[in-house]
Amino acid sequence: MRHKYFITIILVSTNFILKSQSAKSDSLLLFEKLVFNAKSKITSDSLLHEKLNFAIRNADLVSAYNTYLRLEKGGYRVYNKNYYWNSALLCLDNFNFSSAIQNYKLYRLNFDSLSIHSNLLGYLVHVNYDSIIAKKYYKKMIELDSTLSCMSCFYDLLNKKVKSGTGYMISSGVIPGSGLVAIGKPLKGIASIVLIGGMSYGVYSLIQSNMYINAINWSLNLGMKFYLGQIKLTKKEFDKKQNKKRSILNKKCKANYLEVLTKYNLTYKVSSLP
């Protein structure tokens, strides 16, 4: 809440919310009682279907998904457009991609295979599961609406090859600090070059002074720590840069999705009993 409300308003609002939550819970329990007392599977399935719609209508997606799973476990099949649309979205929201695809296929086969909404849903349910099929739906989408090319960020995000940064680490191994400079951290790279260079000069001076044991100790202890440390730092900075790029792409995808969601009303739909 951005603003402070009067205590009386808070109390009234809280009381209203509590009553609403109670009514919803009571209704869900009533559905369970009716299902338990149902005389046939047809009646039981119809009641569960109605409970599914009720849960969706009240934005209780946890109950909705659990109810969907019960219907599917019982082999529920119905000629209802919204049932398969909602089931695909529920499975997608719960990362159950194989079931999302199964529901989408039934939706597409029986009700709608041509509209922009259908192809958009097809893209979303496949993009996490089968990138080749997702790409086909993407092409169909942009044929119908070229502005949907923004949705390619999902495909890019999921199918972009993860770089390991090995080349930068090798570069730092050959020329200390060079990998950091290449990544875009010139100050840290130069600091590593100066530090390793100064350490090398110190070891060289010890050798020139016939202080071989000290030179070996410096090389094995401080020298190796600084040398390996700047290689590890190169890896760390590379990973930070990659994570930053991924975070930017994530935000872009979220913004694109919300924009498309609003434009095409890609949300749950409540249907009546068949």
Side-chain angles (χ1 to χ4, degrees):
M1 296 280 182
R2 291 183 179 181
H3 306 289
K4 293 181 180 179
Y5 293 88
F6 293 106
I7 294 176
T8 53
I9 297 177
I10 294 175
L11 290 173
V12 170
S13 299
T14 304
N15 188 46
F16 176 76
I17 292 170
L18 288 173
K19 285 182 178 179
S20 298
Q21 292 293 332
S22 177
K24 183 176 73 174
S25 299
D26 290 344
S27 297
L28 291 172
L29 286 173
L30 177 60
F31 274 117
E32 284 302 312
K33 184 178 180 180
L34 291 171
V35 170
F36 181 79
N37 293 321
K39 301 299 183 181
S40 67
K41 187 177 184 302
I42 294 175
T43 303
S44 174
D45 286 346
S46 295
L47 287 166
L48 285 174
H49 188 165
E50 193 61 26
K51 181 186 176 184
L52 174 67
N53 285 337
F54 177 83
I56 291 173
R57 190 183 296 113
N58 287 275
D60 187 350
L61 299 184
V62 173
S63 294
Y65 183 63
N66 289 332
T67 304
Y68 156 77
L69 291 176
R70 289 170 66 184
L71 284 166
E72 287 300 298
K73 187 177 180 181
Y76 184 60
R77 289 293 177 266
V78 62
Y79 192 78
N80 185 285
K81 184 177 182 178
N82 288 348
Y83 175 78
Y84 294 107
W85 173 275
N86 290 336
S87 296
L89 286 178
L90 280 170
C91 292
L92 189 61
D93 285 344
N94 286 275
F95 308 103
N96 186 351
F97 302 122
S98 59
S99 292
I101 290 171
Q102 179 186 353
N103 282 291
Y104 170 71
K105 284 180 177 178
L106 289 168
Y107 172 84
R108 185 175 183 273
L109 179 65
N110 291 290
F111 305 106
D112 179 11
S113 62
L114 299 175
S115 76
I116 186 68
H117 297 82
S118 177
N119 285 292
L120 181 54
L121 182 60
Y123 173 72
L124 291 174
V125 300
H126 282 94
V127 73
N128 291 282
Y129 196 82
D130 191 326
S131 59
I132 295 175
I133 296 178
K135 202 165 186 178
K136 291 180 181 178
Y137 281 109
Y138 174 75
K139 289 179 180 178
K140 291 179 181 179
M141 277 176 5
I142 59 175
E143 284 175 4
L144 295 167
D145 184 352
S146 59
T147 63
L148 287 174
S149 59
C150 65
M151 297 296 284
S152 64
C153 65
F154 283 98
Y155 186 87
D156 296 337
L157 185 64
L158 293 165
N159 294 280
K160 191 174 183 180
K161 291 183 179 179
V162 179
K163 297 179 180 179
S164 63
T166 304
Y168 294 103
M169 293 173 69
I170 292 173
S171 178
S172 287
V174 176
I175 304 175
S178 62
L180 287 166
V181 173
I183 288 171
K185 298 291 180 180
L187 293 179
K188 290 184 178 181
I190 292 170
S192 295
I193 293 171
V194 172
L195 193 61
I196 299 297
M199 183 64 62
S200 299
Y201 180 77
V203 171
Y204 173 76
S205 297
L206 289 172
I207 292 173
Q208 289 296 101
S209 302
N210 298 320
M211 300 175 69
Y212 300 111
I213 294 177
N214 288 339
I216 292 171
N217 285 333
W218 270 49
S219 298
L220 294 178
N221 292 323
L222 292 177
M224 288 304 295
K225 283 182 180 179
F226 286 134
Y227 176 74
L228 295 175
Q230 59 92 28
I231 294 176
K232 290 180 179 179
L233 181 60
T234 301
K235 173 63 175 172
K236 183 179 178 181
E237 290 296 335
F238 174 81
D239 288 341
K240 281 172 64 177
K241 186 175 181 179
Q242 292 300 110
N243 288 334
K244 186 177 180 180
K245 286 182 178 180
R246 193 171 184 85
S247 177
I248 292 171
L249 189 56
N250 266 319
K251 289 179 181 178
K252 180 183 175 183
C253 277
K254 184 177 180 179
N256 291 343
Y257 177 72
L258 291 175
E259 183 180 343
V260 170
L261 187 71
T262 302
K263 183 176 180 180
Y264 287 103
N265 193 28
L266 196 73
T267 187
Y268 293 96
K269 301 171 184 177
V270 178
S271 60
S272 59
L273 279 172

